[in-house]
Amino acid sequence: MKNTKRILACFLAVLMTLSCFAVVSVGADAVSESVSVYDPNTTVTLSDAVDGVVYIDSANELMAFKDALNGGNNFAGKTIKLNCDIVINQGDVSTWTSPVKWDANGSGWGTRFAGSFDGQGHTISGIYNDAPNNAGFFGRVVGLTEFKNVTITNSKFISWGGTDGKGLGGLIGSLDPNWGAGTTTISNVHIDAILEAPQGMGHVGGLVGGVANHNSASLVIENCSFNGTMGHTSSTYVGGLVGYMKGVDLSIENCSADADITCA
């Protein structure tokens, strides 16, 4: 009997130990420690917002979010939250031959991204954006919004727009907070990427290519960094964090940029 109790106690101890290492999803805010890799053979539908929040639980859901944005949903008043690390293209960026394309630009002025984005401390890797004009994780953003707690690494952003092509940035190509006075905040965002403008570009920046406003808006950048390269020909404005700004009060605190800039 004592042996039976001892065996049972050992079994329960092992079970409790294993449960500590399991990924448990309880409620919408549960965060998985796994890494989700994009599967081009699987199609998913983006979940509806819960209390104003759209939760991204996989790489395929992130692609579904991009498709919804390009399909006409600007996510105004919504916050996008990541619940896991995500890989879109595997392998080092230098080894890609036919990478999956990321193009979160919206389908027109009214469908530029107008929500907020919270990476919840997660990493997105393997983004490849090859765009005709505004290029970045978000090609163009409108309104007063917030981006925070995300690292984008091993990624490449290319724009062929020429000097009239507006913005090229690791996070946002062009930011247009024209909806009124207020503040857009970028905090705890870290970019490690290659930015290329083979035909030149209007504005090139590690985080934001360009930002312009006519209603006394403010842009606050805190605890952010860019590390990577910027290759361009005759771009008009180039900056380590922000390439160009007009009509905006800009505040940058505790940020860094380590950029290898080449101009052919």
Side-chain angles (χ1 to χ4, degrees), residues 75-228:
F75 294 92
K78 304 292 191 300
T79 297
I80 311 302
K81 286 190 175 184
L82 296 186
N83 276 344
C84 63
D85 292 344
I86 286 174
V87 176
I88 300 299
N89 288 289
Q90 299 186 69
D92 186 80
V93 62
S94 63
T95 67
W96 296 346
T97 55
S98 300
V100 174
K101 186 178 179 180
W102 171 271
D103 55 343
N105 287 355
S107 58
W109 175 261
T111 60
R112 307 304 189 191
F113 184 66
S116 295
F117 190 91
D118 182 0
Q120 299 201 104
H122 290 291
T123 297
I124 301 173
S125 176
I127 295 293
Y128 176 74
N129 184 201
D130 185 348
N133 41 61
N134 295 298
F137 183 72
F138 290 103
R140 195 163 190 171
V141 172
V142 295
L144 300 167
T145 182
E146 181 179 27
F147 301 85
K148 62 183 181 180
N149 305 328
V150 67
T151 296
I152 299 174
T153 187
N154 190 43
S155 295
K156 188 173 186 177
F157 302 93
I158 305 173
S159 176
W160 300 87
T163 55
D164 292 330
K166 301 302 182 182
L168 167 62
L171 178 65
I172 301 169
S174 290
L175 173 61
D176 303 293
N178 283 326
W179 286 176
T183 300
T184 290
T185 301
I186 301 174
S187 61
N188 298 309
V189 174
H190 305 282
I191 308 292
D192 189 336
I194 298 169
L195 307 181
E196 291 186 356
Q199 296 178 353
M201 198 67 190
H203 320 134
V204 181
L207 291 179
V208 180
V211 52
N213 181 71
H214 306 288
N215 293 299
S216 301
S218 298
L219 173 61
V220 175
I221 303 177
E222 301 173 325
N223 305 312
C224 294
S225 67
F226 172 80
N227 182 76

Side-chain angles (χ1 to χ4, degrees), residues 20-21 26 54 56 58 63 68 74 79 106 125 136 160 170 175 181 205 210 212 233 241 243-244 253 258:
C20 293
F21 291 97
V26 181
V54 177
I56 304 295
S58 70
M63 293 295 281
N74 68 359
T79 297
S125 176
W160 300 87
L175 173 61
T233 58
L241 295 176
Y244 170 84
E253 295 184 7
D258 185 359

